Amino acid sequence: ASEVSLNAASARRSDSPARLQGSLLLVDGRPFAPRAIEWQGEPLGFLANLGFNAIHLESTPTDEQTLEAGRHDMWFICVPPRPDQLAREGFGKPNERVIGWYLKDELIETDPQYGANWAELVRQHDGTPGRPILMARQARWDAASKIADIVVAHNLRGAVLPIREFEDWLSGRA
């Protein structure tokens, strides 16, 4: 009986359209350079016309957002449910337009184990295996690189640094 339920569970799971091949992000088997923006309620068609191909959401997308993203060939990078909610409820319905889970919580800076536990829960509960996990840290990038698939280079002053200083800052982050 357990073999049957295991096969049924694996039949429901499908691979993510997004995966990493070395350091290259692929979506539907093609190289993908995300041009993402934090969503503030704008129509996705408007954002697509501006050149964005990914939307950063603070939660998983609604069915309506998913349909609209598909119409405009856009993707989502989402903050997954928090660890306590994931442990209780899982993800709910899988979403094929999500190309990455972005672990975003101030607690990760002070407690890296929280981030590691959250990433493990995401990997266990995601019904679409292979989606990359992203994380941004202000310090201890080496710890983040052991937890996440992609470490986001985030500099709080990035918007006000002259380009040369930003290049120096970025190149100093191995």
Side-chain angles (χ1 to χ4, degrees):
S2 63
E3 186 175 316
V4 171
S5 62
L6 180 64
N7 290 337
S10 61
R12 286 192 307 268
R13 294 170 69 99
S14 62
D15 287 340
S16 170
R19 65 181 175 86
L20 290 174
Q21 184 175 329
S23 62
L24 186 63
L25 176 63
L26 302 176
V27 174
D28 288 335
R30 296 184 311 265
F32 186 80
R35 292 177 308 279
I37 186 168
E38 287 189 28
W39 189 63
Q40 303 295 317
E42 306 90 345
L44 298 187
F46 170 74
L47 296 174
N49 287 335
L50 291 175
F52 295 102
N53 60 9
I55 304 298
H56 178 256
L57 294 178
E58 293 295 321
S59 62
T60 56
T62 64
D63 290 342
E64 182 179 295
Q65 289 169 324
T66 299
L67 289 172
E68 188 177 356
R71 285 192 298 270
H72 299 289
D73 197 26
M74 296 185 81
W75 301 90
F76 295 108
I77 300 168
C78 302
V79 176
R82 299 290 187 241
D84 55 338
Q85 183 182 352
L86 266 178
R88 276 193 325 270
E89 305 167 17
F91 274 100
K93 185 171 59 168
N95 190 302
E96 72 279 357
R97 300 300 306 177
V98 174
I99 59 168
W101 297 116
Y102 188 13
L103 304 186
K104 184 178 176 186
D105 190 317
E106 290 179 13
L107 191 53
I108 291 173
E109 283 298 319
T110 58
D111 183 5
Q113 190 57 46
Y114 172 78
N117 293 340
W118 193 7
E120 184 58 31
L121 281 168
V122 168
R123 288 183 176 106
Q124 287 173 4
H125 291 282
D126 190 356
T128 308
R131 270 191 262 246
I133 294 177
L134 298 84
M135 181 184 293
R137 298 271 321 255
Q138 298 303 312
R140 300 190 59 207
W141 286 28
D142 57 330
S145 70
K146 293 178 179 119
I147 297 168
D149 303 306
I150 299 171
V151 178
V152 178
H154 182 69
N155 181 321
L156 294 176
R157 297 181 359 169
V160 295
L161 284 178
I163 190 70
R164 188 65 172 145
E165 286 182 43
F166 183 77
E167 287 174 353
D168 292 343
W169 173 84
L170 186 59
S171 65
R173 306 299 183 265

